[in-house]
């Protein structure tokens, strides 16, 4: 095993917000697309099935941060890793707005490619000044 992986696992804190942690969804169910953008590729099979949160307007979730660094010698860095897919995946881009504590971190068309194993991930930086110690609020508007 690569020793760098073990090192980064020790210094990186992860907060996982699962589909069922979001409120305001139309429904929650196990989901996968029946085909993919690369439907001619069968080596990896169909997209993986996941518990999904379906949103046509807005969903929200709360998350907690216990500590973070904000001094000249050491600053924390925050990224939102969004794992998602579009129901209408053949339209590759959809307009999305994402807010953290009422601050916009993303407001544009979002490209999510439905590849053969499905469920693409995108990373969106969260400015340090938008995060606070304690309770934080994440909102996704579709």
């Amino acid at each position: 095993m690569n020793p760098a992986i073990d090192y980064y696992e020790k210094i990186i804190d992860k907060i996982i917000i699962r589909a069922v942690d979001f409120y305001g969804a139309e429904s929650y169910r196990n989901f996968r697309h029946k085909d993919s953008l690369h439907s001619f590729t069968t080596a990896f099979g169909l997209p993986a099935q996941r518990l999904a949160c379906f949103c046509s307007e807005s969903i929200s979730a709360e998350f907690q941060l216990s500590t973070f660094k904000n001094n000249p010698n050491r600053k924390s860095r925050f990224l939102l890793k969004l794992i998602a897919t579009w129901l209408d995946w053949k339209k590759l881009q959809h307009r999305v707005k994402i807010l953290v504590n009422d601050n916009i971190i993303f407001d544009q068309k979002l490209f999510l490619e439905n590849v053969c194993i499905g469920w693409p991930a995108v990373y969106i930086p969260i400015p340090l000044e938008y995060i606070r110690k304690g309770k934080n609020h994440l909102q996704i508007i579709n």
Side-chain angles (χ1 to χ4, degrees):
M1 180 175 189
N2 184 335
I5 293 171
D6 191 41
Y7 170 75
Y8 283 108
E9 287 296 322
K10 290 178 184 171
I11 66 167
I12 294 176
D13 289 328
K14 297 176 192 168
I15 298 170
I16 298 172
I17 304 172
R18 303 195 186 287
V20 294
D21 297 329
F22 282 95
Y23 50 90
E26 293 173 10
S27 67
Y28 304 87
R29 68 179 189 266
N30 287 324
F31 177 77
R32 76 171 178 194
H33 287 292
K34 293 181 177 148
D35 55 2
S36 71
L37 186 63
H38 306 291
S39 57
F40 59 86
T41 305
T42 57
F44 300 108
L46 290 173
Q49 187 171 27
R50 289 179 174 255
L51 180 61
C53 166
F54 290 87
C55 163
S56 64
E57 291 182 18
S58 175
I59 55 172
S60 297
E62 308 292 333
F63 63 96
Q64 295 277 337
L65 284 177
S66 56
T67 62
F68 63 89
K69 308 274 192 256
N70 188 12
N71 62 59
N73 296 326
R74 180 119 178 163
K75 291 188 183 279
S76 294
R77 193 169 62 137
F78 297 96
L79 295 171
L80 170 66
K81 179 182 179 182
L82 178 65
I83 300 173
T85 188
W86 304 119
L87 278 176
D88 180 10
W89 65 265
K90 291 177 182 174
K91 179 183 171 190
L92 298 178
Q93 295 184 39
H94 294 256
R95 187 107 192 143
V96 174
K97 184 186 280 189
I98 302 174
L99 298 95
V100 172
N101 297 324
D102 296 322
N103 297 290
I104 298 170
I105 63 167
F106 188 89
D107 186 9
Q108 60 190 34
K109 287 187 175 182
L110 180 62
F111 173 71
L112 293 172
E113 184 179 19
N114 180 28
V115 293
C116 53
I117 59 169
W119 301 102
V122 294
Y123 291 88
I124 301 167
I126 304 173
L128 189 59
E129 61 269 17
Y130 294 175
I131 296 289
R132 58 182 169 244
K133 187 176 175 180
K135 189 165 128 176
N136 290 272
H137 179 81
L138 172 66
Q139 182 181 17
I140 301 173
I141 302 168
N142 184 7

